[in-house]
């Protein structure tokens, strides 16, 4: 396949549009939302009006007819300015709407996707549990069929779930054990739980290190009843379905991490040109120049990695290894660039009024969410035959 990742005119137009939105709309406002731990509803509404939540979905469901490359471009440009806004989009699309599109019935798609694509509604992805973490196959949440009504009765809990408790959250797709295989292994299925369903409790927002303008909560399910037709995909295939969703989502997280890494470069270059010490701009010092050169090298390489993985996904080729490579590399260099950007800014880099302080706080979770760095290395090793 071609490794030419120069953008087509329509992709470049989208990238520029989101870049302008990020700088003109997000940048002036997001600091206050971040400091107050508030969800930026107005910004999210404008993102919906721009069609960003519908980027990779067909027009027949209210989408924009794009693909994962277009989604990645939008995520990268948003994350150059702020990761809370970017992760709200990433989770809303990759984790909230994509399972419905990929595995849902036609009725489920037509019921949920138009509102999810417009940003009028957010969806969430209920996979992680308090005692499981990376061991998603160890799911303890259960869903049993009521033989009289045909309903699913769900009991259990989920943690660290993005977009799960906003005023516009409409559904959470949860994984639950719905039976056992002959060898005793769990059959895990995916079930759509609409917000507000009796017995479905959303906890208060977490107090987080970063992503403070995004919504992250713990969920609990106590005899939650939903119709039998809320099963998403085949019964017993929920774990496999979500592994596929995570493979795709790693490309999106890689794009987001690349944006954060590039944002660190942007802010540090501007600062190094204006900050003066010992009678000259600090950017005239070769030590600073070399830091910036290394930061740019990392961001550029990460961009090539996620675009390569996205291109393979769009072309219908195998992309599992490339997605893991992109996610692993981009998340780790995002942490490195954020640390270096803070160092270049000195004491000001430790002050929340400077964007690099947010970037420093936001970067670490990228090595953890949607598969830790250790999990990515495991996946890559498996693809190498081990």
């Amino acid at each position: 396949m071609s490794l030419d990742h120069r953008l087509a005119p329509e992709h470049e137009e989208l990238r520029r549009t989101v870049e302008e939105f990020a700088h003109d709309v997000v940048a002036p406002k997001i600091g206050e939302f971040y400091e107050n731990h508030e969800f930026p509803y107005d910004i999210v509404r404008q993102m919906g009006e721009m069609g960003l939540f519908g980027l990779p979905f067909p027009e027949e469901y209210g989408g924009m007819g794009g693909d994962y490359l277009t989604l990645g471009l939008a995520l990268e440009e948003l994350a150059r300015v702020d990761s809370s806004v970017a992760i709200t989009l990433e989770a809303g699309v990759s984790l909230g709407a994509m399972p419905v599109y990929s595995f849902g019935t036609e009725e489920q798609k037509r019921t949920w996707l138009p509102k999810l694509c417009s940003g009028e509604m957010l969806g969430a992805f209920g996979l992680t549990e308090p005692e499981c973490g990376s061991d998603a196959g160890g799911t303890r949440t259960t869903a049993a069929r009521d033989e009289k009504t045909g309903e699913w009765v769900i009991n259990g809990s989920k943690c660290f779930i993005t977009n799960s408790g906003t005023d516009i959250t409409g559904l959470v797709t949860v994984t639950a054990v719905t039976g056992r295989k002959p060898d005793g292994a769990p059959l895990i299925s995916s079930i759509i739980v609409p917000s507000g369903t009796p017995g479905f409790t959303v906890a208060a927002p977490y107090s987080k290190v970063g992503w403070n303008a995004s919504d992250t909560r713990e969920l609990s399910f106590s005899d939650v009843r939903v119709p039998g037709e809320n099963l998403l995909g085949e019964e017993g295939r929920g774990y496999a379905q979500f592994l596929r969703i995570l493979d795709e989502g790693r490309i999106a997280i890689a794009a987001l991490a690349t944006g954060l890494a590039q944002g660190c470069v942007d802010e540090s270059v501007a600062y190094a040109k204006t900050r003066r010490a010992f009678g000259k701009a600090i950017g005239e010092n070769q030590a600073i120049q070399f830091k910036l050169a290394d930061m740019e090298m990392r961001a550029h390489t990460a961009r090539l990695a996620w675009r390569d993985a996205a291109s393979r996904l769009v072309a219908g080729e195998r992309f599992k290894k490339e997605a893991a490579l992109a996610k692993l590399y981009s998340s780790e260099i995002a942490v490195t660039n954020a640390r270096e950007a803070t160092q270049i800014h000195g004491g000001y880099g430790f002050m929340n009024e400077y964007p690099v302080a947010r970037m420093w706080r936001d970067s670490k979770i990228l090595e953890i969410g949607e598969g830790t760095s250790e999990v990515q290395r495991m996946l890559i090793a498996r693809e190498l035959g081990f």
Side-chain angles (χ1 to χ4, degrees):
M1 64 172 292
S2 172
L3 292 180
D4 183 356
H5 295 309
R6 289 173 294 184
L7 298 179
E10 61 271 19
H11 287 145
E12 176 60 20
E13 181 180 1
L14 168 71
R15 189 201 66 77
R16 288 186 178 276
T17 298
V18 180
E19 178 185 34
E20 292 174 3
F21 174 78
H23 284 278
D24 296 344
V25 177
V26 179
K29 301 177 180 178
I30 197 62
E32 184 175 354
F33 285 110
Y34 195 95
E35 285 304 298
N36 293 329
H37 295 248
E38 293 180 3
F39 188 79
Y41 286 101
D42 186 56
I43 292 175
V44 171
R45 176 186 59 77
Q46 292 180 71
M47 290 163 58
E49 292 172 351
M50 292 171 64
L52 299 187
F53 286 95
L55 278 174
F57 302 110
E59 295 179 8
E60 64 180 300
Y61 300 118
M64 299 292 286
D67 52 36
Y68 248 87
L69 178 59
T70 56
L71 174 63
L73 293 172
L75 290 170
E76 181 178 335
E77 292 303 324
L78 289 171
R80 285 176 71 170
V81 170
D82 179 71
S83 291
S84 291
V85 170
I87 195 59
T88 298
L89 176 63
E90 191 278 334
V93 175
S94 297
L95 304 181
M98 191 58 72
V100 177
Y101 173 67
S102 296
F103 309 113
T105 63
E106 190 63 25
E107 181 179 356
Q108 288 170 336
K109 293 177 185 178
R110 296 200 178 280
T111 297
W112 297 107
L113 285 179
K115 289 185 177 181
L116 293 170
C117 288
S118 69
E120 178 184 349
M121 174 188 292
L122 291 176
F125 174 90
L127 176 65
T128 306
E129 297 191 359
E131 297 183 18
C132 295
S134 295
D135 181 18
T139 297
R140 297 189 179 186
T141 295
T142 63
R145 283 272 198 181
D146 185 320
E147 296 299 333
K148 293 182 179 180
T149 66
E151 295 174 314
W152 292 106
V153 184
I154 305 170
N155 286 279
S157 60
K158 302 290 180 177
C159 62
F160 312 138
I161 309 303
T162 305
N163 291 346
S164 58
T166 73
D167 293 344
I168 57 174
T169 300
L171 67 92
V172 178
T173 301
V174 301
T175 52
V177 176
T178 55
R180 295 284 171 179
K181 299 178 182 179
D183 63 359
L187 286 169
I188 298 176
S189 304
S190 307
I191 301 173
I192 297 173
V193 180
S195 298
T197 301
F200 173 22
T201 303
V202 180
Y206 287 104
S207 175
K208 297 175 292 188
V209 171
W211 285 359
N212 286 335
S214 72
D215 180 79
T216 317
R217 309 198 188 213
E218 185 171 356
L219 312 177
S220 62
F221 306 87
S222 178
D223 291 333
V224 173
R225 289 178 171 267
V226 298
E229 56 266 28
N230 280 28
L231 178 72
L232 186 63
E234 299 179 38
E235 183 174 354
R237 293 287 299 166
Y239 184 57
Q241 291 169 7
F242 276 105
L243 288 180
R244 167 73 186 198
I245 291 298
L246 287 174
D247 284 340
E248 296 177 355
R250 286 172 185 135
I251 299 174
I253 290 293
L256 189 158
T258 300
L260 187 150
Q262 188 65 59
C264 289
V265 178
D266 299 341
E267 294 295 332
S268 297
V269 167
Y271 185 81
K273 289 180 177 178
T274 58
R275 171 64 167 161
R276 299 183 65 82
F278 302 103
K280 61 181 180 180
I282 65 171
E284 294 182 31
N285 296 310
Q286 194 174 65
I288 299 296
Q289 293 172 6
F290 281 9
K291 279 185 182 292
L292 292 169
D294 286 344
M295 290 166 67
E296 178 71 6
M297 173 187 66
R298 297 184 196 106
H300 178 76
T301 305
R303 183 173 300 111
L304 294 177
W306 83 253
R307 289 188 185 180
D308 175 53
S311 296
R312 292 174 186 271
L313 169 58
V314 171
E317 301 174 1
R318 285 182 58 85
F319 66 93
K320 189 181 189 74
K321 181 181 72 175
E322 288 75 17
L325 287 166
K327 199 275 182 182
L328 173 62
Y329 181 76
S330 62
S331 62
E332 294 195 342
I333 67 100
V335 173
T336 301
N337 273 18
R339 185 181 66 247
E340 294 286 50
T342 303
Q343 192 71 18
I344 289 170
H345 280 69
Y348 290 109
F350 202 63
M351 300 298 119
N352 285 327
E353 63 187 279
Y354 282 79
V356 294
R358 290 204 309 272
M359 293 172 179
W360 186 51
R361 292 163 67 178
D362 291 340
S363 64
K364 181 56 189 176
I365 187 60
L366 297 172
E367 295 182 312
I368 299 171
E370 294 202 35
T372 63
S373 293
E374 291 76 14
V375 166
Q376 304 314 308
R377 288 184 167 88
M378 178 184 70
L379 293 172
I380 294 165
R382 284 180 180 173
E383 290 294 309
L384 294 175
F386 294 100

